[in-house]
Amino acid sequence: MRIIVYGSLRRKQGNSHWMTNGQWLGDHQIVGYELYSLGLYPGVVSGNGRVYCEVYRIDASTLGELDALRTKGGEYRRELVQTPYGSAWLYVYQRSVVGRKHIVSGDWLLRDAPEPG
């Protein structure tokens, strides 16, 4: 199975150790979503933007661990999306993003860069 990661699970980020047993397949941009900062980690919601991601092949055990991390308390839900590497699971944020910082670039790695315009 495959998973899309867009924030703290990406390479060289704070939670990238969760992907240690995964196989990196490549980078990808998902269209029709927007990225928001939730503080130390991001959330993706449906919208009019694009989000920069990494796609990994993972095993069922890793998916179970990520589900426990991400879906606990209903904060995220998994959604199946298409990528050049095949369909992959994306964790979509389920709570309000009102008052949260919109990362217009769609790239968590650029979250501290000044916004254009």
Side-chain angles (χ1 to χ4, degrees):
M1 68 194 68
R2 288 169 292 276
I3 190 164
I4 296 174
V5 299
Y6 51 82
S8 64
L9 295 171
R10 286 174 68 183
R11 289 173 286 169
K12 300 181 183 175
Q13 296 301 298
N15 285 323
S16 63
H17 62 276
W18 288 94
M19 304 279 59
T20 301
N21 294 325
Q23 175 191 6
W24 177 75
L25 299 175
D27 295 325
H28 180 56
Q29 293 178 40
I30 52 172
V31 178
Y33 295 90
E34 295 179 354
L35 185 67
Y36 285 84
S37 175
L38 307 176
L40 298 176
Y41 56 94
V44 159
V45 297
S46 293
N48 295 319
R50 63 181 54 229
V51 177
Y52 292 84
C53 309
E54 296 170 4
V55 182
Y56 287 85
R57 183 181 321 278
I58 60 172
D59 59 22
S61 175
T62 301
L63 184 63
E65 291 171 357
L66 292 173
D67 276 351
L69 179 71
R70 294 290 182 223
T71 61
K72 182 179 178 182
E75 193 172 23
Y76 294 85
R77 70 173 167 76
R78 273 197 282 132
E79 183 174 300
L80 201 56
V81 299
Q82 295 304 312
T83 78
Y85 313 100
S87 58
W89 290 112
L90 170 71
Y91 287 100
V92 179
Y93 189 63
Q94 294 300 290
R95 297 186 179 152
S96 173
V97 292
V98 173
R100 302 290 192 165
K101 180 183 176 189
H102 180 210
I103 303 170
V104 178
S105 70
D107 191 340
W108 180 248
L109 304 182
L110 301 176
R111 66 191 174 277
D112 296 324
E115 296 293 344

